[in-house]
């Protein structure tokens, strides 16, 4: 039986933690295909959440009560980002070296080429620009959300994660194998 989230259980933290269903053991860490912070983004306007399913190469769309749909994406989806301003979902597909763009209204998809082993994704909703660190090629793919045209910039050894400050339009890239 997989662990579940129990909002009443606190381990000295302010957020719910995973714990075994029997409740008698201390909480433990286990790797999952998503994290609430990066890969369970929500479209707050519609109260929807999106979950990347690494094993089935799909994204599950959830509302507050249940699963709404499942959308096929590229191989090994590893990160998601939502642009609530355009109701567009972006999925970094590590195994197929691309990004799946999902129209949040219709569920239709488009595929955009990225570098080798995309490992994260971030959206600046103000500029409608998407940033994808490519761990295998040492680059960040920059996607124009209006046209889906891309450019690539050098980012150092093994860029792994990216974050955007939409107020200042500053982009932060974490490289796993460089200082």
């Amino acid at each position: 039986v997989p662990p579940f989230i129990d909002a009443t259980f606190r381990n000295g933290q302010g957020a719910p933690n995973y714990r075994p269903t029997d409740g008698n053991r201390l909480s433990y860490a286990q790797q999952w295909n998503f994290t609430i912070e990066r890969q369970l983004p929500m479209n707050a306007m519609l109260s929807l959440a999106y979950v990347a399913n690494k094993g089935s190469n799909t994204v599950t769309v959830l509302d507050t009560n249940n699963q709404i749909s499942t959308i096929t994406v590229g191989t090994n989806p590893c990160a998601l980002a939502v642009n609530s301003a355009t109701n567009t979902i972006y999925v970094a597909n590590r195994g197929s070296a691309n990004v799946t763009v999902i129209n949040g209204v219709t569920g239709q998809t488009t595929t955009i080429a990225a570098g080798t082993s995309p490992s994260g994704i971030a959206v600046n909703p103000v500029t409608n620009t998407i940033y994808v660190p490519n761990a295998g090629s040492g680059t960040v793919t920059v996607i124009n959300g209006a046209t889906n045209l891309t450019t690539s910039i050098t980012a150092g050894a093994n860029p792994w994660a990216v974050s955007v400050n939409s107020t200042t339009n500053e982009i932060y890239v974490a490289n796993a194998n460089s200082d």
Side-chain angles (χ1 to χ4, degrees):
V1 177
F4 64 98
I5 296 177
D6 179 354
T8 63
F9 181 74
R10 305 278 190 238
N11 188 21
Q13 307 280 333
N17 293 296
Y18 291 104
R19 70 178 184 138
T21 56
D22 66 8
N24 295 322
R25 293 180 280 166
L26 294 175
S27 58
Y28 61 96
Q30 186 171 1
Q31 184 170 344
W32 293 84
N33 290 339
F34 64 92
T35 63
I36 291 174
E37 180 181 338
R38 274 191 40 210
Q39 298 169 12
L40 187 62
M42 240 177 127
N43 186 336
M45 294 182 350
L46 302 174
S47 297
L48 298 175
Y50 303 90
V51 180
N53 304 304
K54 178 181 170 184
S56 63
N57 300 326
T58 61
V59 168
T60 301
V61 183
L62 306 167
D63 69 8
T64 55
N65 297 314
N66 57 9
Q67 175 179 330
I68 295 176
S69 64
T70 301
I71 300 168
T72 301
V73 296
T75 305
N76 193 2
C78 64
L80 299 163
V82 175
N83 186 339
S84 294
T86 62
N87 197 9
T88 307
I89 302 88
Y90 296 90
V91 184
N93 302 304
R94 174 172 231 135
S96 52
N98 58 31
V99 172
T100 300
V101 181
I102 303 171
N103 180 312
V105 175
T106 66
Q108 293 181 326
T109 63
T110 303
T111 303
I112 300 173
T116 305
S117 298
S119 56
I121 197 160
V123 172
N124 185 337
V126 175
T127 63
N128 196 14
T129 306
I130 300 84
Y131 300 91
V132 183
N134 303 301
S137 57
T139 61
V140 173
T141 300
V142 181
I143 303 170
N144 178 321
T147 64
N148 287 340
L149 295 176
T150 65
T151 58
S152 182
I153 56 176
T154 302
N158 202 357
W160 194 259
V162 64
S163 183
V164 175
N165 181 332
S166 59
T167 303
T168 63
N169 196 30
E170 291 179 314
I171 291 65
Y172 304 92
V173 179
N175 296 321
N177 294 330
S178 63
D179 295 332

